[in-house]
Amino acid sequence: MFSSLARLRAIAFTFSSLAILSHALEGSLFTSSVTYCAPPETLLIQQFDVEYFAANNSVSFNISAESVDSNVNVSASMLVNVFGIQPVNITIDLCGILNGALCPLPQYNFTGSDSITLPGSISSNFPSIAFVIPDLEGYAQLTLTEVGTGDVKACVQATLSNGLSTHQRAVEWTTGGLTLFTLFVALWQSCSPTAILPHRLLDLINLFQSIAVSALLNLNYPVTYISYALNFAWSLSLFSSGDDSMQEAINNMRALTGGGLANSTSSSAVAFVNRKLSPFNSDSASSSSGGISSLSSLAKRTVDWSPLHNIQQRDVAVVTSESDNVLSAGIPIYVSTINIATANAFMTVFLCTLILIAIALFVFGFGWISLFARERHGIGREDRRIQTRRAYPSWIRAWTLRLSSIMFTPIVVFAFYQWTLNDSWLSILFSVIAFLGIMIAVCYPCIVVIHSVRRSEPSVLYTDSFLHKSYGSLYAQYLPSRYYVFLPLIIVAFSKAIIVAFISSSGMAQVILFLILEIALVFRVLLFRPHRTRGADIFSAFLGIVRVVCTGLMIAFIESIGVKPIPRYAIGLVLAVINSIAILVVFFNLALHSGIQRLWKRREATSSSSSSTSSSLQGSSNIMLEKDVTSSPKYPSSDPFGRPRNPTPERNVPLDPEINQPYSPPSPTATTTDYASTRQRDSESTNFGSVLPRRWSFTPLHTPTESSGLDHTPPFESTLSRTSEEQIEQASHSHV
């Protein structure tokens, strides 16, 4: 069952990919969303599909509309805006096409489809790059103006796309799958308090979250960067379900608790984007020499029309600069692009957090059951069972802290933002509960760590088994003298949440504050060098520098600066490339710490042991050849594969003749002379102190100065005299 479902998904993904690529290979542009750019008076639109084919320079359209006024003759103006440039700006005489079916506009529901060829002067204005770059920023606008009066009877805008985007399901599943795999390996390795992989897991998720949070500011982002950042929306617990059952439940909850903001829909959110922002770029449009042309001389074509009940109706919203449904930059555009309403953002994060808590409780409970089963049936050694049972509570506390650190950014960011909406009182209540819970889960371990250091010293964090196993995820990767460098990470995450939620009115202030915080984190690594290894410091500094560079490049997205759409688009692609390189570096680092290096070390150890064995065997044979020893039954131990009986020393240095003398019991006089000569020789040859006259002497050491100035009696002579006196006293006592 699972394999067949996987095959179906693979086939569906393949066909969808081929469909997207076909648009790009054919060189076509098509409409992706439709809205009114003025309140409709004469024409009501249900469908407006337009597609341009570069191969034959033609435009195909399919219109489903309803005319409500009689005797209205209109002319149609078509405008195409791509990256602020207008390659097409033409006027169409509706009486000259479709056999005059649209002149005057008929008072009935109709469906019209046709394909017309554009003049060569117009097609030459289309840049060829528009058909191959992802996330094209362009739109087409159709305006119906009454002939004679010039009144606008209808205005329709449709965004354009070429089918390519940097937001790919494959990227989401790949990054999420690799993160999940890293989590499983980290769960296994975290049994050791010194494991590096759990810390690298947090670095990876923090990188994903930093990319996603960087798209939540009040900036005029290019569409390509927002699409790229949406690949990591899952790291902020923003999941859009296919059937939208979760969003519908949140909509109902908000409606019952005083929510008045717009609900989530399955339609495209790009149609509701502020017209000053990408992809419309209306204020920054620089007119091209598109020219105004008349198509009245084109060949007449046929039209197919049918009643409205045969048309699949859809709501077309009116979006103008004065509309209240316009999506502003930041969180509204980001979450609405994945079909999550702005007012539903926090509740989506909250429900995903509850699901994560349920999964964690299930895993922890399963661990307790496994331990109980091992104790009940006596599986494994008793000492290992006792050790595991004692360490398991600390393991639970450690992973609770890690999960809290992962959920800290999404909960705080969207809880703060929920407070600014003033929508549903129940959503606000849940946001307060979630905020207090995550602050307690993260701040309490920090207080315990700091209090333990103040009571003792920093080394207690590493020597105390309870602290190290329970709260080591905060500081274990740092030096004992730099244990406190985890605090800036929490402070920066909290500060970013405040900037995103409460300073959303000024994009420039948000970027500047973000840049200051990122620079502070980089200096934290460069000045303190807190990690245990130089490689870890370089890795952390690399990630910090990447964030600084990316934040600095986002200055070009400030709306007041007025950077043209094409340079902004190029900067967005550069940001996507830089972040992708950083992700690859992190994945490579994860692979190094996941246990693969152990396989390399085993191979190196195997090869080195085999080489050392062969070299030792070769050395033994050389030694035996040098000594001219051969294997014989008389000397069984002289086997060439065994240890040689009498190996020759590597350095055959002759001994000192004065030392290499046979032992003879010295007389007191000889001892005195010998000792004096020895001390004289040693004092002349060394200045490290005097040497003992004999290894069996118990006389304390003397320096050359003390020996020459104070001691004039040989120590051995005094020892003999004391011994003879004791023997005489014992003999006298025995006679008595």
Side-chain angles (χ1 to χ4, degrees):
M1 178 66 182
F2 178 79
S3 59
S4 61
L5 183 60
R7 292 193 189 96
L8 291 176
R9 289 180 178 177
I11 293 173
F13 177 76
T14 303
F15 278 108
S16 62
S17 301
L18 292 176
I20 293 174
L21 290 176
S22 64
H23 282 289
L25 294 176
E26 291 177 359
S28 65
L29 301 177
F30 56 91
T31 57
S32 56
S33 66
V34 180
T35 56
Y36 291 112
C37 49
E41 296 181 2
T42 302
L43 191 65
L44 304 180
I45 302 293
Q46 286 84 33
Q47 184 175 357
F48 183 79
D49 296 332
V50 180
E51 187 168 3
Y52 169 77
F53 296 94
N56 55 5
N57 191 27
S58 63
V59 175
S60 297
F61 57 88
N62 188 1
I63 299 176
S64 298
E66 179 183 5
S67 177
V68 295
D69 288 346
S70 60
N71 297 324
V72 177
N73 295 328
V74 296
S75 62
S77 298
M78 176 69 71
L79 180 145
V80 177
N81 186 308
V82 180
F83 289 109
I85 303 174
Q86 299 176 3
V88 176
N89 191 355
I90 61 176
T91 300
I92 305 174
D93 183 8
L94 296 183
C95 296
I97 63 174
L98 302 177
N99 291 327
L102 301 178
C103 185
L105 289 178
Q107 282 186 286
Y108 53 77
N109 307 322
F110 64 93
T111 299
S113 60
D114 199 359
S115 178
I116 60 177
T117 302
L118 298 178
S121 60
I122 296 178
S123 61
S124 61
N125 293 327
F126 276 98
S128 59
I129 195 175
F131 303 98
V132 295
I133 60 175
D135 299 301
L136 178 68
E137 296 185 8
Y139 69 94
Q141 178 175 312
L142 175 64
T143 305
L144 299 181
T145 306
E146 186 176 8
V147 177
T149 62
D151 296 336
V152 176
K153 295 300 181 178
C155 181
V156 180
Q157 285 182 342
T159 55
L160 300 178
S161 175
N162 57 11
L164 301 178
S165 176
T166 54
H167 181 206
Q168 297 293 329
R169 285 287 183 181
V171 177
E172 293 180 351
W173 283 97
T174 301
T175 54
L178 290 176
T179 303
L180 193 62
F181 173 77
T182 306
L183 173 63
F184 290 149
V185 180
L187 286 172
W188 170 62
Q189 290 192 5
S190 61
C191 298
S192 174
T194 59
I196 300 297
L197 193 62
H199 301 289
R200 293 295 175 263
L201 173 65
L202 297 181
D203 293 335
L204 176 64
I205 297 179
N206 287 336
L207 177 60
F208 291 157
Q209 290 179 347
S210 66
I211 297 174
V213 171
S214 66
L216 303 181
L217 306 182
N218 185 15
L219 302 175
N220 187 10
Y221 295 99
V223 178
T224 183
Y225 185 72
I226 295 180
S227 300
Y228 176 79
L230 286 173
N231 293 319
F232 312 103
W234 59 266
S235 64
L236 296 179
S237 299
L238 295 175
F239 296 93
S240 59
S241 57
D243 56 355
D244 293 331
S245 58
M246 179 184 293
Q247 298 303 317
E248 291 180 1
I250 297 175
N251 291 338
N252 296 333
M253 183 273 295
R254 290 178 42 249
L256 296 175
T257 55
L261 298 179
N263 295 329
S264 60
T265 61
S266 58
S267 60
S268 176
V270 69
F272 299 92
V273 173
N274 191 329
R275 277 11 185 196
K276 298 180 181 180
L277 308 177
S278 295
F280 295 96
N281 303 305
S282 60
D283 287 353
S284 59
S286 58
S287 299
S288 180
S289 58
I292 299 178
S293 304
S294 176
L295 300 182
S296 59
S297 60
L298 294 176
K300 296 182 179 181
R301 306 181 186 273
T302 60
V303 57
D304 299 328
W305 63 274
S306 59
L308 185 63
H309 63 269
N310 292 330
I311 302 173
Q312 183 179 2
Q313 300 187 35
R314 65 181 180 184
D315 296 332
V316 179
V318 179
V319 181
T320 63
S321 57
E322 294 81 12
S323 302
D324 57 356
N325 58 353
V326 176
L327 296 176
S328 57
I331 292 180
I333 292 180
Y334 186 84
V335 299
S336 298
T337 307
I338 53 178
N339 301 325
I340 298 176
T342 304
N344 292 5
F346 168 75
M347 287 305 302
T348 303
V349 174
F350 182 72
L351 293 179
C352 292
T353 303
L354 294 181
I355 295 174
L356 178 62
I357 293 174
I359 295 174
L361 292 177
F362 172 79
V363 173
F364 296 157
F366 181 79
W368 279 116
I369 294 174
S370 301
L371 292 178
F372 177 77
R374 289 184 61 185
E375 291 289 341
R376 182 70 177 271
H377 299 284
I379 301 174
R381 295 186 303 177
E382 183 178 0
D383 56 341
R384 294 295 299 273
R385 295 199 306 268
I386 296 175
Q387 181 181 2
T388 305
R389 186 174 65 252
R390 292 177 178 176
Y392 190 68
S394 298
W395 184 84
I396 292 178
R397 281 188 290 267
W399 275 103
T400 301
L401 178 57
R402 292 187 181 99
L403 295 178
S404 301
S405 301
I406 292 172
M407 297 305 302
F408 182 80
T409 295
I411 289 179
V412 174
V413 168
F414 290 100
F416 285 167
Y417 189 75
Q418 184 66 37
W419 299 349
T420 64
L421 297 179
N422 192 22
D423 184 54
S424 168
W425 64 265
L426 187 58
S427 298
I428 296 175
L429 177 62
F430 285 152
S431 64
V432 172
I433 295 174
F435 174 76
L436 294 177
I438 199 66
M439 291 301 295
I440 293 173
V442 173
C443 294
Y444 175 75
C446 300
I447 295 174
V448 171
V449 169
I450 296 174
H451 182 65
S452 300
V453 173
R454 293 186 63 182
R455 290 178 56 186
S456 179
E457 57 184 7
S459 61
V460 72
L461 300 177
Y462 302 85
T463 57
D464 191 325
S465 177
F466 173 79
L467 292 175
H468 197 196
K469 292 180 180 179
S470 300
Y471 310 121
S473 58
L474 292 174
Y475 59 84
Q477 59 177 333
Y478 305 123
L479 295 171
S481 58
R482 299 288 188 267
Y483 75 94
Y484 49 83
V485 295
F486 69 88
L487 292 174
L489 296 175
I490 300 175
I491 295 174
V492 167
F494 188 83
S495 302
K496 284 184 176 181
I498 294 177
I499 295 170
V500 170
F502 299 117
I503 316 181
S504 58
S505 59
S506 175
M508 180 178 292
Q510 288 179 321
V511 172
I512 293 175
L513 292 175
F514 262 51
L515 187 59
I516 293 174
L517 294 175
E518 297 296 350
I519 292 175
L521 289 181
V522 172
F523 276 103
R524 172 189 69 99
V525 178
L526 297 180
L527 296 180
F528 293 100
R529 297 179 181 178
H531 296 84
R532 291 179 174 271
T533 61
R534 182 180 180 183
D537 286 332
I538 295 175
F539 176 76
S540 181
F542 167 76
L543 294 180
I545 292 173
V546 167
R547 289 192 294 267
V548 169
V549 172
C550 293
T551 306
L553 289 176
M554 286 195 300
I555 295 177
F557 301 156
I558 299 176
E559 188 177 354
S560 60
I561 294 180
V563 179
K564 297 299 181 181
I566 293 180
R568 283 192 292 105
Y569 180 86
I571 293 175
L573 289 180
V574 170
L575 287 174
V577 171
I578 293 176
N579 286 317
S580 299
I581 293 175
I583 292 172
L584 293 178
V585 171
V586 174
F587 277 135
F588 179 75
N589 190 279
L590 289 173
L592 291 180
H593 292 92
S594 62
I596 298 179
Q597 74 279 10
R598 296 181 181 179
L599 299 178
W600 297 342
K601 291 181 179 180
R602 286 182 180 179
R603 292 180 181 178
E604 293 177 357
T606 304
S607 59
S608 61
S609 61
S610 60
S611 61
S612 62
T613 303
S614 60
S615 61
S616 63
L617 293 177
Q618 182 67 26
S620 301
S621 60
N622 293 337
I623 291 171
M624 302 177 93
L625 290 174
E626 178 187 352
K627 295 180 68 66
D628 196 18
V629 178
T630 58
S631 177
S632 62
K634 185 176 181 181
Y635 302 101
S637 62
S638 62
D639 183 78
F641 295 99
R643 181 177 180 180
R645 286 181 72 89
N646 190 17
T648 303
E650 295 181 0
R651 296 181 179 180
N652 190 9
V653 181
L655 297 175
D656 189 354
E658 297 182 4
I659 299 176
N660 191 15
Q661 296 292 337
Y663 172 74
S664 59
S667 60
T669 305
T671 301
T672 303
T673 305
D674 186 38
Y675 177 71
S677 62
T678 303
R679 290 187 59 183
Q680 182 179 1
R681 185 183 74 247
D682 293 335
S683 62
E684 293 175 355
S685 61
T686 180
N687 55 3
F688 293 98
S690 61
V691 297
L692 289 174
R694 296 290 186 270
R695 68 176 62 184
W696 41 267
S697 175
F698 295 92
T699 306
L701 292 175
H702 301 280
T703 61
T705 305
E706 294 174 347
S707 301
S708 59
L710 299 175
D711 189 10
H712 301 284
T713 305
F716 185 67
E717 182 178 1
S718 60
T719 303
L720 292 177
S721 60
R722 288 196 301 269
T723 304
S724 59
E725 291 176 356
E726 292 176 358
Q727 291 177 352
I728 294 172
E729 291 179 359
Q730 291 177 1
S732 61
H733 285 297
S734 62
H735 287 296
V736 175

